[in-house]
mmCIF file of all heavy atoms in Angstrom:
data_model
loop_
_atom_site.group_PDB
_atom_site.id
_atom_site.type_symbol
_atom_site.label_atom_id
_atom_site.label_comp_id
_atom_site.label_asym_id
_atom_site.label_seq_id
_atom_site.Cartn_x
_atom_site.Cartn_y
_atom_site.Cartn_z
ATOM 1 N N ASP U 1138 7.451 -22.824 -14.366
ATOM 2 C CA ASP U 1138 7.654 -24.318 -14.557
ATOM 3 C C ASP U 1138 6.390 -25.030 -15.158
ATOM 4 O O ASP U 1138 6.460 -25.978 -15.667
ATOM 5 C CB ASP U 1138 7.955 -24.958 -13.259
ATOM 6 C CG ASP U 1138 9.355 -24.683 -12.704
ATOM 7 O OD1 ASP U 1138 10.288 -24.297 -13.570
ATOM 8 O OD2 ASP U 1138 9.611 -24.818 -11.475
ATOM 9 N N LEU U 1139 5.247 -24.458 -14.783
ATOM 10 C CA LEU U 1139 3.887 -25.001 -15.147
ATOM 11 C C LEU U 1139 3.555 -24.435 -16.686
ATOM 12 O O LEU U 1139 2.431 -24.773 -17.192
ATOM 13 C CB LEU U 1139 2.937 -24.630 -14.196
ATOM 14 C CG LEU U 1139 2.847 -25.444 -12.909
ATOM 15 C CD1 LEU U 1139 1.824 -24.901 -11.910
ATOM 16 C CD2 LEU U 1139 2.631 -26.882 -13.071
ATOM 17 N N GLY U 1140 4.287 -23.565 -17.240
ATOM 18 C CA GLY U 1140 4.241 -23.240 -18.644
ATOM 19 C C GLY U 1140 3.297 -22.225 -18.868
ATOM 20 O O GLY U 1140 2.925 -21.954 -19.946
ATOM 21 N N VAL U 1141 2.971 -21.353 -17.863
ATOM 22 C CA VAL U 1141 2.050 -20.121 -18.007
ATOM 23 C C VAL U 1141 2.661 -18.828 -17.489
ATOM 24 O O VAL U 1141 1.946 -17.891 -17.332
ATOM 25 C CB VAL U 1141 0.737 -20.494 -17.307
ATOM 26 C CG1 VAL U 1141 -0.014 -21.676 -17.931
ATOM 27 C CG2 VAL U 1141 0.842 -20.618 -15.836
ATOM 28 N N GLY U 1142 3.909 -18.767 -17.521
ATOM 29 C CA GLY U 1142 4.692 -17.528 -16.956
ATOM 30 C C GLY U 1142 4.348 -16.320 -17.913
ATOM 31 O O GLY U 1142 4.307 -15.264 -17.503
ATOM 32 N N GLU U 1143 4.126 -16.643 -19.197
ATOM 33 C CA GLU U 1143 3.920 -15.568 -20.111
ATOM 34 C C GLU U 1143 2.603 -14.672 -19.898
ATOM 35 O O GLU U 1143 2.440 -13.679 -20.342
ATOM 36 C CB GLU U 1143 3.888 -16.187 -21.603
ATOM 37 C CG GLU U 1143 2.707 -17.072 -21.790
ATOM 38 C CD GLU U 1143 2.461 -17.521 -23.200
ATOM 39 O OE1 GLU U 1143 2.670 -16.720 -24.168
ATOM 40 O OE2 GLU U 1143 2.321 -18.742 -23.391
ATOM 41 N N PHE U 1144 1.777 -15.221 -19.063
ATOM 42 C CA PHE U 1144 0.597 -14.690 -18.856
ATOM 43 C C PHE U 1144 0.469 -13.746 -17.612
ATOM 44 O O PHE U 1144 -0.524 -13.069 -17.239
ATOM 45 C CB PHE U 1144 -0.758 -15.635 -18.711
ATOM 46 C CG PHE U 1144 -0.823 -16.462 -19.856
ATOM 47 C CD1 PHE U 1144 -0.418 -17.891 -19.910
ATOM 48 C CD2 PHE U 1144 -1.377 -16.039 -21.133
ATOM 49 C CE1 PHE U 1144 -0.627 -18.688 -20.897
ATOM 50 C CE2 PHE U 1144 -1.420 -16.924 -22.182
ATOM 51 C CZ PHE U 1144 -1.114 -18.154 -22.015
ATOM 52 N N CYS U 1145 1.630 -13.821 -16.888
ATOM 53 C CA CYS U 1145 1.693 -13.196 -15.495
ATOM 54 C C CYS U 1145 2.604 -11.975 -15.490
ATOM 55 O O CYS U 1145 3.821 -12.019 -15.838
ATOM 56 C CB CYS U 1145 2.137 -14.312 -14.427
ATOM 57 S SG CYS U 1145 1.129 -15.628 -14.321
ATOM 58 N N ASP U 1146 2.070 -10.941 -14.961
ATOM 59 C CA ASP U 1146 2.911 -9.668 -14.763
ATOM 60 C C ASP U 1146 2.754 -9.224 -13.350
ATOM 61 O O ASP U 1146 1.684 -9.250 -12.633
ATOM 62 C CB ASP U 1146 2.422 -8.550 -15.680
ATOM 63 C CG ASP U 1146 2.676 -8.871 -17.184
ATOM 64 O OD1 ASP U 1146 3.618 -9.324 -17.595
ATOM 65 O OD2 ASP U 1146 1.541 -8.623 -17.991
ATOM 66 N N ILE U 1147 3.860 -8.714 -12.783
ATOM 67 C CA ILE U 1147 3.874 -8.264 -11.485
ATOM 68 C C ILE U 1147 3.119 -6.879 -11.495
ATOM 69 O O ILE U 1147 3.437 -6.037 -12.307
ATOM 70 C CB ILE U 1147 5.200 -8.029 -10.834
ATOM 71 C CG1 ILE U 1147 5.918 -9.326 -10.722
ATOM 72 C CG2 ILE U 1147 5.339 -7.250 -9.522
ATOM 73 C CD1 ILE U 1147 7.449 -9.133 -10.354
ATOM 74 N N SER U 1148 2.154 -6.622 -10.545
ATOM 75 C CA SER U 1148 1.281 -5.382 -10.573
ATOM 76 C C SER U 1148 0.916 -5.177 -9.052
ATOM 77 O O SER U 1148 -0.071 -5.617 -8.576
ATOM 78 C CB SER U 1148 0.068 -5.565 -11.411
ATOM 79 O OG SER U 1148 -0.746 -4.468 -11.158
ATOM 80 N N LEU U 1149 1.730 -4.416 -8.250
ATOM 81 C CA LEU U 1149 1.433 -4.184 -6.888
ATOM 82 C C LEU U 1149 0.363 -3.329 -6.604
ATOM 83 O O LEU U 1149 -0.047 -3.221 -5.425
ATOM 84 C CB LEU U 1149 2.762 -3.570 -6.262
ATOM 85 C CG LEU U 1149 4.038 -4.546 -6.272
ATOM 86 C CD1 LEU U 1149 5.163 -3.982 -5.450
ATOM 87 C CD2 LEU U 1149 3.836 -5.972 -5.808
ATOM 88 N N THR U 1150 -0.207 -2.743 -7.616
ATOM 89 C CA THR U 1150 -1.532 -1.996 -7.484
ATOM 90 C C THR U 1150 -2.808 -2.913 -7.443
ATOM 91 O O THR U 1150 -3.795 -2.450 -7.369
ATOM 92 C CB THR U 1150 -1.648 -0.935 -8.449
ATOM 93 O OG1 THR U 1150 -1.679 -1.487 -9.815
ATOM 94 C CG2 THR U 1150 -0.523 0.147 -8.388
ATOM 95 N N THR U 1151 -2.525 -4.162 -7.746
ATOM 96 C CA THR U 1151 -3.649 -5.147 -7.611
ATOM 97 C C THR U 1151 -3.671 -5.618 -6.151
ATOM 98 O O THR U 1151 -2.618 -6.026 -5.610
ATOM 99 C CB THR U 1151 -3.273 -6.445 -8.462
ATOM 100 O OG1 THR U 1151 -3.198 -5.944 -9.815
ATOM 101 C CG2 THR U 1151 -4.412 -7.498 -8.320
ATOM 102 N N ALA U 1152 -4.739 -5.489 -5.593
ATOM 103 C CA ALA U 1152 -4.965 -5.726 -4.101
ATOM 104 C C ALA U 1152 -5.908 -6.741 -3.639
ATOM 105 O O ALA U 1152 -5.768 -7.481 -2.716
ATOM 106 C CB ALA U 1152 -5.175 -4.480 -3.361
ATOM 107 N N ARG U 1153 -7.075 -6.863 -4.496
ATOM 108 C CA ARG U 1153 -8.269 -7.602 -4.109
ATOM 109 C C ARG U 1153 -8.748 -7.001 -2.920
ATOM 110 O O ARG U 1153 -8.228 -6.860 -1.806
ATOM 111 C CB ARG U 1153 -7.982 -9.181 -3.854
ATOM 112 C CG ARG U 1153 -7.247 -9.751 -5.047
ATOM 113 C CD ARG U 1153 -8.185 -9.899 -6.325
ATOM 114 N NE ARG U 1153 -9.247 -10.917 -5.979
ATOM 115 C CZ ARG U 1153 -10.379 -10.850 -6.582
ATOM 116 N NH1 ARG U 1153 -10.735 -9.871 -7.513
ATOM 117 N NH2 ARG U 1153 -11.372 -11.803 -6.378
ATOM 118 N N GLY U 1154 -10.099 -6.609 -2.846
ATOM 119 C CA GLY U 1154 -10.742 -5.891 -1.766
ATOM 120 C C GLY U 1154 -11.179 -6.578 -0.476
ATOM 121 O O GLY U 1154 -11.303 -5.997 0.506
ATOM 122 N N LEU U 1155 -11.277 -7.877 -0.580
ATOM 123 C CA LEU U 1155 -11.788 -8.663 0.554
ATOM 124 C C LEU U 1155 -10.731 -8.789 1.644
ATOM 125 O O LEU U 1155 -9.559 -9.106 1.256
ATOM 126 C CB LEU U 1155 -12.364 -9.961 0.186
ATOM 127 C CG LEU U 1155 -13.616 -9.916 -0.788
ATOM 128 C CD1 LEU U 1155 -13.969 -11.294 -1.297
ATOM 129 C CD2 LEU U 1155 -14.717 -9.282 -0.105
ATOM 130 N N ASP U 1156 -11.173 -8.551 2.875
ATOM 131 C CA ASP U 1156 -10.113 -8.557 3.977
ATOM 132 C C ASP U 1156 -9.466 -9.863 4.218
ATOM 133 O O ASP U 1156 -8.508 -9.941 4.793
ATOM 134 C CB ASP U 1156 -10.755 -8.081 5.204
ATOM 135 C CG ASP U 1156 -11.029 -6.574 5.196
ATOM 136 O OD1 ASP U 1156 -10.588 -5.865 4.299
ATOM 137 O OD2 ASP U 1156 -12.015 -6.053 5.985
ATOM 138 N N TYR U 1157 -10.044 -11.038 3.700
ATOM 139 C CA TYR U 1157 -9.471 -12.260 4.202
ATOM 140 C C TYR U 1157 -8.218 -12.719 3.446
ATOM 141 O O TYR U 1157 -7.616 -13.689 3.544
ATOM 142 C CB TYR U 1157 -10.528 -13.452 4.254
ATOM 143 C CG TYR U 1157 -11.318 -13.638 2.962
ATOM 144 C CD1 TYR U 1157 -10.729 -14.060 1.818
ATOM 145 C CD2 TYR U 1157 -12.742 -13.438 2.960
ATOM 146 C CE1 TYR U 1157 -11.631 -14.338 0.632
ATOM 147 C CE2 TYR U 1157 -13.501 -13.688 1.793
ATOM 148 C CZ TYR U 1157 -12.839 -14.106 0.687
ATOM 149 O OH TYR U 1157 -13.645 -14.371 -0.565
ATOM 150 N N TYR U 1158 -7.967 -12.007 2.135
ATOM 151 C CA TYR U 1158 -6.751 -12.324 1.453
ATOM 152 C C TYR U 1158 -5.491 -12.108 2.184
ATOM 153 O O TYR U 1158 -5.514 -11.004 3.019
ATOM 154 C CB TYR U 1158 -6.852 -11.501 0.178
ATOM 155 C CG TYR U 1158 -7.797 -12.060 -0.840
ATOM 156 C CD1 TYR U 1158 -8.861 -11.308 -1.223
ATOM 157 C CD2 TYR U 1158 -7.477 -13.415 -1.457
ATOM 158 C CE1 TYR U 1158 -9.835 -11.840 -2.251
ATOM 159 C CE2 TYR U 1158 -8.391 -13.880 -2.371
ATOM 160 C CZ TYR U 1158 -9.519 -13.162 -2.767
ATOM 161 O OH TYR U 1158 -10.456 -13.615 -3.647
ATOM 162 N N THR U 1159 -4.636 -12.962 2.134
ATOM 163 C CA THR U 1159 -3.391 -12.892 3.000
ATOM 164 C C THR U 1159 -2.006 -12.838 2.275
ATOM 165 O O THR U 1159 -0.947 -12.316 2.706
ATOM 166 C CB THR U 1159 -3.275 -14.062 3.904
ATOM 167 O OG1 THR U 1159 -3.322 -15.241 3.169
ATOM 168 C CG2 THR U 1159 -4.513 -14.097 4.929
ATOM 169 N N GLY U 1160 -1.953 -13.391 1.071
ATOM 170 C CA GLY U 1160 -0.677 -13.505 0.385
ATOM 171 C C GLY U 1160 -0.683 -13.145 -1.058
ATOM 172 O O GLY U 1160 -1.148 -12.032 -1.402
ATOM 173 N N VAL U 1161 -0.285 -14.076 -1.956
ATOM 174 C CA VAL U 1161 -0.421 -13.807 -3.485
ATOM 175 C C VAL U 1161 -1.808 -13.566 -3.751
ATOM 176 O O VAL U 1161 -2.731 -14.310 -3.401
ATOM 177 C CB VAL U 1161 0.266 -14.904 -4.175
ATOM 178 C CG1 VAL U 1161 -0.027 -14.770 -5.644
ATOM 179 C CG2 VAL U 1161 1.757 -14.982 -4.047
ATOM 180 N N VAL U 1162 -2.119 -12.478 -4.563
ATOM 181 C CA VAL U 1162 -3.387 -12.177 -5.220
ATOM 182 C C VAL U 1162 -3.183 -11.857 -6.608
ATOM 183 O O VAL U 1162 -2.095 -11.531 -7.046
ATOM 184 C CB VAL U 1162 -4.194 -11.115 -4.401
ATOM 185 C CG1 VAL U 1162 -4.556 -11.434 -3.092
ATOM 186 C CG2 VAL U 1162 -3.196 -9.858 -4.450
ATOM 187 N N PHE U 1163 -4.236 -12.118 -7.412
ATOM 188 C CA PHE U 1163 -4.078 -11.778 -8.817
ATOM 189 C C PHE U 1163 -5.481 -11.365 -9.449
ATOM 190 O O PHE U 1163 -6.418 -11.810 -8.904
ATOM 191 C CB PHE U 1163 -3.445 -12.749 -9.634
ATOM 192 C CG PHE U 1163 -4.274 -14.032 -9.775
ATOM 193 C CD1 PHE U 1163 -4.960 -14.241 -11.024
ATOM 194 C CD2 PHE U 1163 -4.356 -14.888 -8.904
ATOM 195 C CE1 PHE U 1163 -5.799 -15.401 -11.290
ATOM 196 C CE2 PHE U 1163 -5.185 -16.156 -9.132
ATOM 197 C CZ PHE U 1163 -5.750 -16.292 -10.247
#
């Protein structure tokens, strides 16, 4: 809806290393 979907791909091997992350990460 915000017009930037073309830049986003699902990648479940993306995790972000810091422990405080809880939800969506990229």
